[in-house]
Amino acid sequence: MNTTPTPATWRKSSHSNTERECVELAALGGAVGIRDSKAPDAGTLLLSRRALARLLTTV
């Protein structure tokens, strides 16, 4: 089930390829949505901005 609030403006890196094989992000109020561009209706991971910053620092 996709629980993404609408409307969301999904963005991906300008370095991603044209075959839609990337991760997309959207600002959703105080959270950030993350989804697979190949399967946008498969679901969305919602993280707080702080949690996303920690994830990116760790990766």
Side-chain angles (χ1 to χ4, degrees), residues 10-13 16 20-26 33-38 45 52:
W10 292 95
R11 300 177 189 271
K12 59 184 173 180
S13 170
S16 64
R20 297 177 14 127
E21 296 180 6
C22 57
V23 172
E24 296 176 313
L25 300 174
I34 303 172
R35 71 179 185 183
D36 183 348
S37 64
K38 294 185 306 292
L45 174 64
L52 177 61

Side-chain angles (χ1 to χ4, degrees), residues 25-49:
L25 300 174
L28 303 170
V32 177
I34 303 172
R35 71 179 185 183
D36 183 348
S37 64
K38 294 185 306 292
D41 295 327
T44 302
L45 174 64
L46 294 176
L47 296 175
S48 68
R49 293 175 185 267

